Amino acid sequence: MKINRPLSPHLSIYKPQLTSTLSIFHRISGGFLAVLFLFTILFLKVCDLGLSFYPIYWCLFNYYSIF
């Protein structure tokens, strides 16, 4: 006879602990800072190249004015 029991208790019975909450927040904020750092480096590289974004701005903001 097989009993259908879960292998581990459900997460809803556990009380959130301060250490686990801070660990999750630390991981999320670290990921956010890593992505922000990469975008900052990318932005600085694009600015260093001296690229002009006039065609992109024209397409975004003046597209409807030609009709």
Side-chain angles (χ1 to χ4, degrees), residues 44-58:
L44 291 174
K45 280 302 243 184
V46 167
C47 289
D48 188 37
L49 292 175
L51 298 176
S52 173
F53 291 102
Y54 179 74
I56 297 172
Y57 290 136
W58 186 86

Side-chain angles (χ1 to χ4, degrees), residues 24-36:
I24 293 169
F25 179 72
H26 187 260
R27 288 173 181 254
I28 292 172
S29 63
F32 175 75
L33 287 173
V35 170
L36 184 67

Side-chain angles (χ1 to χ4, degrees), residues 5-16:
R5 293 184 184 171
L7 296 176
S8 61
H10 197 271
L11 290 175
S12 63
I13 68 169
Y14 290 114
K15 179 183 173 188

